[in-house]
Amino acid sequence: MSEQKTKFAALHREPAYLKVYRAIEENIIGGGLSDGEALPIEADLCEQFQVTRSTVREGLRLLEQSGLIARGSHKKFIVRRPNASDVAVAASRSLALGGVTFNEVWETLAIYYPQAARLAAKRLDEDSLSALNVVWRSLQDVADDDHDRTVECAVEFFQSLAKGLNNRVMLAMLQSLNLMIGESLRQVIGKAPNARTRILNAQKNILDAFSARDEDLAEEWMAKHIADLKRGYVVANVEMDKPIL
Amino acid sequence: MSEQKTKFAALHREPAYLKVYRAIEENIIGGGLSDGEALPIEADLCEQFQVTRSTVREGLRLLEQSGLIARGSHKKFIVRRPNASDVAVAASRSLALGGVTFNEVWETLAIYYPQAARLAAKRLDEDSLSALNVVWRSLQDVADDDHDRTVECAVEFFQSLAKGLNNRVMLAMLQSLNLMIGESLRQVIGKAPNARTRILNAQKNILDAFSARDEDLAEEWMAKHIADLKRGYVVANVEMDKPIL
DNA sequence: ATAGTACTATTGTCCGACAATAGGATTATT
DNA sequence: AATAATCCTATTGTCGGACAATAGTACTAT
């Protein structure tokens, strides 16, 4: 049987636990199970799918990891459509794990954030602006040598900005970048002199530009802020081609 | 015992399958298991972790879904560090699932891609340029009414561009966007007259700008291309506030 | 040497059992 | 009656053992 005329479809014999996963996934996507609703108990799922609990449970683990279900009260699972933050966390984790370098992260910041700042100047509403202000002021109160807190606040500034853009796609991407900013910043902040003051200054100018609705200025200062970030790496003597983790 | 003096840590009693997951994950991250290497067989894992197969298998399902292991030959699992494409696929899937709108996607394209085009004009090497050329020519050969193929080629152009930037962070983000471009384009292409011709034209101009290393021109044409994309939506009478799925 | 065959290692699935425990129902206490 | 202590039960987490299916391997016959 070397030559075969009719080719049959590669009949993918999936394990049953995958079918369980897909079935439930589809149900969630299709809206059969809406957000927040509790999943049927394992026994019922066994009944419905006609498989044993072990199999159902393996399917549940897939759903769990994919973020479509989460633990509600006690042990019950509730349906949960993944949101931008989940996406961001998973993405940045995988990227960091994949060994992306300081340079790759920085380059992306450099071409993305200044434009985001333009949009922010145009779009941020009063609430977002005041939220940013609060974050900025909290950075003001941080001690110069409290590196952890400095990083935290600096990143929080970017987070607030991202949220204020009111766009979930951007939010996911920017948040993902923010997590990586935090990761990389944490590793150099101790070695970069005046880090807090410089960040504080840059963010102040950005904030003012936002308030004034001056897109050009916002872009300009954001670009400077990002550039300064790189300067920090250089000063701290970080090899830009090294992985951030 | 209403008032308690000493508060104990909230001792998170994790299920064992989670511990298995974390242990193996850490081993992979830490480099104990390198990329492509085969995972120990289930029985061995049971032995090492002192749990039963059911438990190990649940942990494996978590690893599977998180993309850290994949099926190698036969049934064995091999370790696999997630790459940019995995990230992109997962991210765009989740976002689409989360109900992001045409507008959110388009806005992101609009502020991101023109800048990416600038970088491309500066950085793309000869191989990438010729790859882009190949993609462009293949779109040339597509029939005007072959919508599926048109979308495929149009997206492929963006994909090649993203790959050529040589930056995994950008790659992940742009790929993610590309998938959503494809998804949204697929839904309007039938209703947008001359879609193929217009895409062909825009991409030609972008390509020429790349070849000429003209960053300004590249940005300009890319911006036009993106703007035209939106025009397509409008012409096709798509409600921009509707989810792309 | 090749083709066919039997064997084996490993995964996928099933079954049945039991421990732990959150949450609800019930009872006791003031 | 309100609160606290207690029991009950539904559900998950884990166990151990069993067997079927099958890819890969060793072996055999021609």
Side-chain angles (χ1 to χ4, degrees):
Chain A
M1 63 166 191
S2 45
E3 88 289 1
Q4 45 192 128
K5 295 234 181 105
T6 60
K7 302 202 174 173
F8 294 102
L11 102 105
H12 44 300
R13 28 170 43 306
E14 293 188 314
Y17 65 79
L18 258 176
K19 294 208 192 112
V20 170
Y21 166 67
R22 278 195 224 292
I24 298 180
E25 177 197 37
E26 212 164 300
N27 203 316
I28 293 176
I29 296 176
L33 288 161
S34 43
D35 200 56
E37 197 168 338
L39 220 56
I41 62 172
E42 294 176 355
D44 288 350
L45 293 173
C46 296
E47 176 69 24
Q48 294 183 32
F49 293 117
Q50 284 296 305
V51 294
T52 48
R53 264 185 75 211
S54 321
T55 305
V56 163
R57 285 176 62 83
E58 291 190 32
L60 289 180
R61 293 298 89 81
L62 293 178
L63 286 165
E64 189 178 3
Q65 186 67 21
S66 73
L68 282 148
I69 62 178
R71 285 174 195 301
S73 70
H74 187 12
K75 314 197 149 175
K76 277 169 84 173
F77 277 108
I78 58 173
V79 172
R80 206 174 120 265
R81 314 193 80 127
N83 57 32
S85 294
D86 300 328
V87 175
V89 171
S92 57
R93 203 190 76 104
S94 291
L95 283 173
L97 227 157
V100 297
T101 63
F102 283 94
N103 195 51
E104 285 173 302
V105 174
W106 182 84
E107 260 191 10
T108 313
L109 295 177
I111 81 166
Y112 199 166
Y113 252 116
Q115 299 298 313
R118 288 195 81 87
L119 188 62
K122 193 176 354 177
R123 175 175 302 176
L124 291 187
D125 59 20
E126 289 309 318
D127 287 349
S128 303
L129 284 176
S130 66
L132 273 173
N133 232 308
V134 169
V135 174
W136 183 78
R137 272 203 295 271
S138 67
L139 177 56
Q140 236 179 349
D141 297 338
V142 172
D144 259 324
D145 61 349
D146 189 344
H147 301 320
D148 285 349
R149 190 90 186 88
T150 303
V151 170
E152 203 178 303
C153 288
V155 170
E156 187 56 35
F157 183 87
F158 286 104
Q159 292 283 42
S160 295
L161 197 170
K163 279 183 203 144
L165 292 177
N166 249 332
N167 179 315
R168 284 167 290 177
V169 178
M170 286 187 205
L171 177 59
M173 294 185 175
L174 292 178
Q175 274 192 330
S176 180
L177 283 174
N178 293 346
L179 289 168
M180 290 190 279
I181 292 177
E183 200 48 60
S184 57
L185 204 49
R186 201 183 327 279
Q187 294 181 46
V188 305
I189 192 109
K191 291 182 261 180
N194 303 324
R196 195 189 65 95
T197 316
R198 278 156 55 191
I199 292 172
L200 201 59
N201 182 48
Q203 295 190 342
K204 170 65 174 153
N205 284 304
I206 292 169
L207 201 43
D208 286 345
F210 287 168
S211 300
R213 304 281 173 207
D214 188 332
E215 297 181 31
D216 290 334
L217 204 56
E219 177 183 349
E220 186 185 328
W221 274 107
M222 181 60 84
K224 282 186 190 168
H225 190 15
I226 304 286
D228 198 46
L229 207 61
K230 180 161 190 175
R231 209 163 304 128
Y233 294 143
V234 174
V235 169
N237 218 21
V238 170
E239 187 58 67
M240 293 295 284
D241 287 336
K242 273 200 338 198
I244 63 172
L245 277 190
Chain B
M1 65 166 192
S2 44
E3 89 290 0
Q4 46 191 125
K5 298 231 180 109
T6 61
K7 303 201 173 173
F8 293 102
L11 100 106
H12 43 301
R13 30 169 48 302
E14 294 188 313
Y17 65 80
L18 257 176
K19 295 208 192 109
V20 170
Y21 167 68
R22 279 195 223 292
I24 298 180
E25 177 196 37
E26 210 165 301
N27 203 314
I28 294 176
I29 295 175
L33 288 161
S34 43
D35 199 60
E37 198 168 336
L39 219 58
I41 63 172
E42 294 176 354
D44 288 351
L45 293 174
C46 296
E47 176 69 22
Q48 293 177 225
F49 293 116
Q50 284 296 305
V51 294
T52 48
R53 264 186 73 212
S54 322
T55 305
V56 164
R57 285 176 62 84
E58 290 190 34
L60 289 180
R61 293 296 89 81
L62 292 178
L63 286 164
E64 188 178 3
Q65 187 67 18
S66 73
L68 280 127
I69 61 177
R71 288 176 194 299
S73 70
H74 186 14
K75 316 196 147 175
K76 279 169 81 172
F77 276 108
I78 58 173
V79 172
R80 205 174 122 266
R81 313 194 82 125
N83 57 32
S85 294
D86 299 328
V87 175
V89 171
S92 58
R93 202 191 77 104
S94 292
L95 283 172
L97 225 155
V100 297
T101 64
F102 283 93
N103 195 50
E104 285 174 301
V105 174
W106 182 84
E107 261 191 8
T108 312
L109 296 177
I111 80 166
Y112 199 167
Y113 252 115
Q115 299 298 314
R118 287 195 83 87
L119 188 62
K122 192 176 353 177
R123 175 176 301 179
L124 292 187
D125 59 20
E126 289 308 318
D127 287 350
S128 302
L129 284 176
S130 65
L132 273 173
N133 232 307
V134 169
V135 174
W136 183 79
R137 271 204 296 273
S138 68
L139 176 57
Q140 237 181 348
D141 297 338
V142 172
D144 260 321
D145 60 349
D146 189 346
H147 301 320
D148 286 350
R149 191 89 185 89
T150 302
V151 170
E152 202 177 306
C153 288
V155 171
E156 187 56 35
F157 182 87
F158 286 104
Q159 291 284 42
S160 295
L161 167 49
K163 278 183 206 147
L165 293 176
N166 250 330
N167 179 316
R168 283 166 291 177
V169 179
M170 287 190 204
L171 178 58
M173 295 188 174
L174 292 178
Q175 275 192 330
S176 179
L177 284 174
N178 293 347
L179 289 168
M180 291 190 278
I181 293 178
E183 201 48 61
S184 57
L185 204 50
R186 204 182 326 280
Q187 294 180 46
V188 304
I189 192 110
K191 291 183 260 180
N194 303 325
R196 194 187 66 95
T197 316
R198 277 156 55 193
I199 292 172
L200 203 57
N201 181 49
Q203 296 190 341
K204 171 65 173 157
N205 284 304
I206 293 169
L207 202 42
D208 286 346
F210 287 169
S211 300
R213 303 282 172 203
D214 188 332
E215 296 180 31
D216 290 334
L217 203 57
E219 177 183 351
E220 186 185 329
W221 273 107
M222 181 60 85
K224 283 187 189 170
H225 191 16
I226 304 286
D228 198 46
L229 208 59
K230 179 160 190 177
R231 211 164 301 128
Y233 294 144
V234 174
V235 170
N237 219 21
V238 170
E239 187 58 67
M240 292 296 283
D241 287 337
K242 274 201 335 199
I244 63 172
L245 276 190

